[in-house]
Amino acid sequence: MLGEKVVKSVISIAKKKGLDSAEVYFTNSKYFILKVHGQQYEEFKVSHSVGAGIRVIIDGREGYAYTERLDDDAYARALDSAVESALSLCDDGTPAKIKRFANPKTEIDLGTYEINLGKVPEEFKIEKTMAIEKAALDFDKRITAVPMVRYSDGYHIERIANTLGMDKQYRSNYAMAMAYAVASEGDEKRSDGHYIVTHDFDRIDPVELGTTAARRALRKLGSREIPSGLYTVAFDNEVMCEILSGFASVFSARAAQEGKSLLDGKIGQKVANSKITIVDDALMRGAVASHPFDDEGHPTKKLKVIDRGKFVTFLHNMKTASKWGVKSTGHASRGSYKETLGVAPSNFYVLPGDIPFTEIVGKAPKVVQIADVAGLHSGINPITGDFSLSATGFLFKKGVMAHPVHNFTISGNFLDMLKNVTHIGQDLKFCFPSGISYFGSPTILVKKVSIGGA
Amino acid sequence: MTVENRYGKIIIPETASKVIKRAMSRGATFAEVFAEDKKTLVVGLSDSKIKRNVYGQVYGAGIRVFFGTQVFYGYTSDLSLDSLLEVATLLAGAWHLDTKTKPGALVAATHGDRHPVAENPIDVKAAEKIAFLRAMDDAARSSGALITQVDAAIGEIVQDVEIYNSEGLMTGDRRVYTRAYVSAVASKEGEKQTGHRNPGAHAGYEFIRNLDPGDLGRDAARQAITMLEAEYAPSGKMPVVIDNGFGGVIFHEACGHALESSSVSKNASIFAGKLGERIASECVSAVDDGTIVNGWGSTVIDDEGTLTERTLLIEKGILKSYMVDKLGGLKIGHRPTGSGRRESYRFSPTSRMRNTFILPGDHTIEEMISSVDKGLYASKMGGGSVSPATGEFNFSVQEGYLIENGRIGRPVRGATLVGHGAEILKNITMVGKTLDLAQGMCGSSSGSVPTCVGQPPVLVSQIVVGGR
C-alpha cells in the first residue's frame, strides 16, 4: 500500500532528525468528471492526486510543508522546511500539540467505500451521462435546453500518522450525477435540476434523473410575481441545506475565537425554537462526509450542536479546544495536504420531524415554498447572521399549489429564522456535496419572513 | 549560455513513449505528456509578525490527447508507469477515430537558458527574507501614523518542466520566479485606502537583493496616505493620461484576452476575423514578448514545448497576429506563437499572454499633460473587470490626479475608467517614450500564470470617468 509506505518513511526520517512532534497527513484521490452538452463532451477529466502534508511542532509552534513527490529526499526537504517554518513563526499564545490516539485494529467501516463502484467501466459512465441528457430533452417539447449534465466519481484514502506512534486510515468513494433543464413557454424560461449521490452505480437511473430535472423545470412555468410583505415560508429541504451551509462557520470555534461568530458567548442559551435540533454526525453510515477520525487523528462522534433550541457547543479541533480549556469535538479539518488545520462540520443536519411536506404547506392559509435561492456568496453575512437572497418558489393557498412565484428576495436573520420556526418536515435531504462538509435538512416552516417582491 | 538537457529527470523518455503510445491506441491524432517538479515557498508577515512560512513541492504529469480538435485531459501526481498508463488508457477510451497516426520517435530539442539565475531563492535562509520583510514593514509604518496595517511577503517558485509529444518533441525548461509584495493600509475616520508594490522577475534571489525594501515600503505607504487625503474624483467624459507600468492592465484585460486564440476560435472576440485590419489608432503598436531576459512573464519554451517569441500583435494600428497555442492553431489555422501556458500539470494549456505591452512612441508625459485642459492623470491603475462577450470594461484608478489647464493638480480618489476595448485603442492619441512593465498573475481557464502588463504613458482623447 502506497499510504503505508509514505507515512512509515516520513515518520522514520522525522525520528532520525530528532523530531518528537511530527505528523504526516497523506491522501490518495482519484476523480473522474464528465460533462455532456448536445451529446458531445463538454468536459472530460481524469485525475489521480497524491500528496503528503507535514506538520512539525517545536515549542508549541507549528510549521507546515507539503510534497506531492513521494521519495525520501522530498520528505527530508519538507521536514526541514517545516522545522524552519516552526522556528520562524511568531508564537500565537496557544501551544499546538499532537496526540497518540489509539490505532484501530482494522479500518473502521462506515459504509463509505463500495469496492464495486471502482470496477464500473468508463463506457458505462459515458453512456449513462448521454442518456440523462436525452431523457431530459425528450421528456417534453417545452424542454428547450439542458445546459448541464454532469457525472463524476471519486475515490479517496486518507492516512494520518505521527511520531508518537499513531497511524490510521480510512477510505471512501462515491458517484454522483446531476442534470439541469430549461423549460420554455412563450417568453418565459425556467430552469431547475436534480441530482443523485450514491455508492451504487446502478442506482443512477438516467431516465428518472433526466425526467425529474425536466419535470422540476416545467413545474415552474406559469410563474407570477408576488407582492412584498411578511409571509409564512416553507424553506424546502434543498434550500434549507444551502442556507445551513452558508452559515456553517457560525458554529466554528475558530470563527468564534477570531470574533467572527454571532453565537459567541451563547453556549447554554436558547438560540432557536425548541423544535430545532442540529446534529453533526461524522459516523453516519454511508454519508458523503463520514470519517472515523478527523484530520489530526482525533476520533469522531455524533453530537448535538443545537438541542431543542439550546446552543450546546461549537465545533473544535485540539487547538481551539485547548484555547478555551475544553475537549476537541473531532472537527479538525485540512481540506487538503496543502492547507493548514482549521475546523469544519462533517454530516451536519437539522433533525427531521414527522410532518409530511403536503401537510406543511397547509399549516397556514397562505404559504410560500422557497424552492431555489441565488446569491449565497454575497447575500449571506455569517458574522451578523443577516441574509438577503433572490428566490423562486411556489405559492400555496389552503395547502393547494396556486402558482409558481419568482423575481423576489427573502431576507432576515439566521437566528431569528431559527426562532420563528413553527413546523419541521419529515423529508430530510442532503444537498449536492461541495467541499468537505455535507449539509442536510427537512423542509421547515417559518412565520413572518420578509419577502421583497412586486 | 549553458546548454543542458532539461528532460529525462522527472519522467524518463522510455516511460513517456509508452504513455504516448497508449494514449493514441484508439486513433488519437496527438498526445502529449507534461511533467512538472515545482518547489514553492512563501514567507509572509502581517501585524509585524511572521505568520506564514510554507514550503511545498508540486509534482506530477498531465496527459493531453487530441482527436482532431476534441481534447481530453488527465493528470496524476503518482508518476509510476502504472498510474500514468491508467490515465492514458482512460483518455484513449474517451473517443475513437479510425485514423492511424503513429507517434514519432522522441528527438531531443535543446535550447539555451535565456534567463540567468545566480542564486536559487528557496535555498536562501529564512532569516534573510524575514529581515527584508521587516525592513518593508518598518519603512511603511514609519511613513506616518495613518498607516494602520502592513502586509508583506516574499514568494518564490522553482519550476522544472519536461514535455514529450507524439510529434517526437522531447524538451524541458527550468523557470525560477522571485517576487516581493508589500501592501499598506492607511485609515482615518473609518475610511481606508491601500497602496502596494509587488515587483517580481524570472530570476533568483539576486533580484530581491537588488531591491530597496525601504523604498518599496515607503512607496506603498505614500500611495495609501495620498489617496486617503484625496477628494472624490469628478465624473464624466474627459481626456485621461494613463501612466506607464500597471496602466497596461487595461490593454491586457480589454484587448489582450480578446487576442488569445481561445477566444478568437470561439468567436467570442471583438477582434475575430480582423487580421490585417485597422483596430487601433496609428500611434499604437503592441507586442506580446515571451523572450525578455529575466522578464516575469518570459519562458524559453511555452508549456507545450514551443519556443517563445516576440509576437507583434498590432503594428501602427493594424492587427498583425493573435496569441496562439497548438489547439488554437488547429482551430483558426494560425501558426502557434509559443503562447500555450498553464499553471501546473493539473491544467490543460491554452493561449495566454506573457509580457504584453504597447510599444513606446515619441511623446513626453509633459507634452501629454500640457495638451489637456481638463482631465484625469491616472498615475497608478487598480483592478477591474471586462465583459468578454462585449469588451466593455471597468477599472479603478488606484492613484489619480486632476489635470487642470495643462498641469497636474490635486489627487482624487474613487475614480473608475469605463469603456470598450475596441474603442479605447482608437482613442489613443499620444504614446509616450518611457516604457515600463508591471508584474502580475493572470487567471484564466488554464490557471494562474505570471504575466507582465505594460505601456509607456498614453493619452486617451476621451473616456468615461466614473467618480462621485
Side-chain angles (χ1 to χ4, degrees), chain B residues 53-306:
Chain B
N53 180 355
V54 182
Y55 165 84
Q57 184 168 9
V58 170
Y59 185 78
I63 303 171
R64 187 164 63 139
V65 180
F66 290 8
F67 289 87
T69 54
Q70 283 246 38
V71 178
F72 302 101
Y73 195 75
Y75 65 79
T76 175
S77 55
D78 174 355
L79 294 190
S80 63
L81 182 62
D82 282 352
S83 178
L84 286 163
L85 287 177
E86 188 185 338
V87 173
T89 306
L90 284 166
L91 295 173
W95 206 251
H96 183 258
L97 284 180
D98 289 326
T99 49
K100 298 225 162 39
T101 313
K102 276 222 162 117
L106 295 174
V107 179
T110 50
H111 51 72
D113 285 345
R114 198 183 293 137
H115 309 288
V117 170
E119 197 174 6
N120 186 328
I122 291 182
D123 292 338
V124 174
K125 288 281 170 227
E128 278 198 56
K129 296 168 190 168
I130 291 169
F132 188 90
L133 297 177
R134 291 207 183 286
M136 289 197 289
D137 186 50
D138 287 346
R141 286 181 189 277
S142 47
S143 297
L146 292 174
I147 299 297
T148 51
Q149 195 185 326
V150 178
D151 289 294
I154 292 177
E156 302 154 345
I157 294 173
V158 177
Q159 182 198 37
D160 288 315
V161 302
E162 295 175 358
I163 300 148
Y164 304 90
N165 74 26
S166 58
E167 292 162 357
L169 180 76
M170 171 159 73
T171 188
D173 193 11
R174 163 167 282 198
R175 294 93 178 245
V176 178
Y177 299 100
T178 307
R179 194 172 187 204
Y181 305 80
V182 58
S183 77
V185 178
S187 322
K188 191 170 75 179
E189 291 153 15
E191 293 268 0
K192 280 184 180 182
Q193 290 289 328
T194 309
H196 37 77
R197 288 291 301 272
N198 32 38
H202 181 152
Y205 199 75
E206 67 278 6
F207 175 74
I208 299 282
R209 291 192 199 288
N210 288 325
L211 294 172
D212 181 333
D215 281 353
L216 295 173
R218 273 187 296 275
D219 194 42
R222 182 197 58 76
Q223 291 167 38
I225 294 170
T226 308
M227 283 303 106
L228 193 64
E229 290 172 345
E231 287 170 39
Y232 282 104
S235 52
K237 229 178 210 182
M238 62 185 84
V240 176
V241 175
I242 305 171
D243 210 345
N244 63 11
F246 201 66
V249 70
I250 298 183
F251 183 76
H252 171 104
E253 297 286 356
C255 308
H257 281 296
L259 294 172
E260 292 168 343
S261 60
S262 55
S263 88
V264 175
S265 71
K266 278 183 233 151
N267 228 347
S269 165
I270 45 175
F271 301 124
K274 299 223 164 136
L275 281 180
E277 289 180 28
R278 170 165 303 283
I279 62 162
S281 68
E282 209 183 336
C283 60
V284 176
S285 295
V287 297
D288 179 73
D289 189 348
T291 68
I292 297 172
V293 172
N294 292 124
W296 176 246
S298 297
T299 52
V300 179
I301 52 171
D302 71 359
D303 294 325
E304 303 180 309
T306 308

Side-chain angles (χ1 to χ4, degrees), chain B residues 174-464:
Chain B
R174 163 167 282 198
R175 294 93 178 245
V176 178
Y177 299 100
T178 307
R179 194 172 187 204
Y181 305 80
V182 58
S183 77
V185 178
S187 322
K188 191 170 75 179
E189 291 153 15
E191 293 268 0
K192 280 184 180 182
Q193 290 289 328
T194 309
H196 37 77
R197 288 291 301 272
N198 32 38
H202 181 152
Y205 199 75
E206 67 278 6
F207 175 74
I208 299 282
R209 291 192 199 288
N210 288 325
L211 294 172
D212 181 333
D215 281 353
L216 295 173
R218 273 187 296 275
D219 194 42
R222 182 197 58 76
Q223 291 167 38
I225 294 170
T226 308
M227 283 303 106
L228 193 64
E229 290 172 345
E231 287 170 39
Y232 282 104
S235 52
K237 229 178 210 182
M238 62 185 84
V240 176
V241 175
I242 305 171
D243 210 345
N244 63 11
F246 201 66
V249 70
I250 298 183
F251 183 76
H252 171 104
E253 297 286 356
C255 308
H257 281 296
L259 294 172
E260 292 168 343
S261 60
S262 55
S263 88
V264 175
S265 71
K266 278 183 233 151
N267 228 347
S269 165
I270 45 175
F271 301 124
K274 299 223 164 136
L275 281 180
E277 289 180 28
R278 170 165 303 283
I279 62 162
S281 68
E282 209 183 336
C283 60
V284 176
S285 295
V287 297
D288 179 73
D289 189 348
T291 68
I292 297 172
V293 172
N294 292 124
W296 176 246
S298 297
T299 52
V300 179
I301 52 171
D302 71 359
D303 294 325
E304 303 180 309
T306 308
L307 283 167
T308 59
E309 57 170 46
R310 178 179 166 104
T311 307
L312 182 62
L313 301 173
I314 300 172
E315 186 178 35
K316 294 184 178 163
I318 307 294
L319 179 61
K320 287 289 178 183
S321 180
Y322 298 117
M323 290 167 271
V324 187
D325 62 321
K326 250 182 196 308
L327 179 67
L330 285 177
K331 286 184 175 173
I332 66 170
H334 192 297
R335 130 202 103 79
T337 54
S339 305
R341 303 186 69 189
R342 57 181 122 198
E343 176 181 328
S344 75
Y345 69 90
R346 296 187 179 217
F347 295 86
S348 185
T350 188
S351 50
R352 302 294 296 271
M353 282 173 264
R354 300 165 300 205
N355 305 297
T356 315
F357 50 93
I358 297 173
L359 292 171
D362 305 327
H363 296 276
T364 63
I365 189 157
E366 291 76 19
E367 283 176 90
M368 294 181 198
I369 302 279
S370 64
S371 76
V372 175
D373 272 348
K374 207 169 172 219
L376 183 76
Y377 165 52
S379 161
K380 274 208 166 62
M381 291 303 300
S385 66
V386 179
S387 155
T390 62
E392 281 156 359
F393 65 77
N394 187 320
F395 284 89
S396 67
V397 178
Q398 161 85 17
E399 185 180 345
Y401 299 84
L402 291 181
I403 306 176
E404 287 161 323
N405 304 320
R407 285 187 177 177
I408 294 178
R410 61 193 163 84
V412 287
R413 63 171 147 156
T416 56
L417 304 185
V418 183
H420 188 279
E423 273 168 25
I424 191 173
L425 286 179
K426 291 184 177 148
N427 291 340
I428 294 177
T429 50
M430 282 192 214
V431 177
K433 291 177 179 170
T434 48
L435 173 66
D436 189 25
L437 303 185
Q439 297 78 29
M441 297 300 292
C442 170
S444 181
S445 67
S446 67
S448 177
V449 298
T451 53
C452 270
V453 302
Q455 64 178 33
V458 298
L459 171 64
V460 184
S461 58
Q462 57 170 17
I463 191 163
V464 174

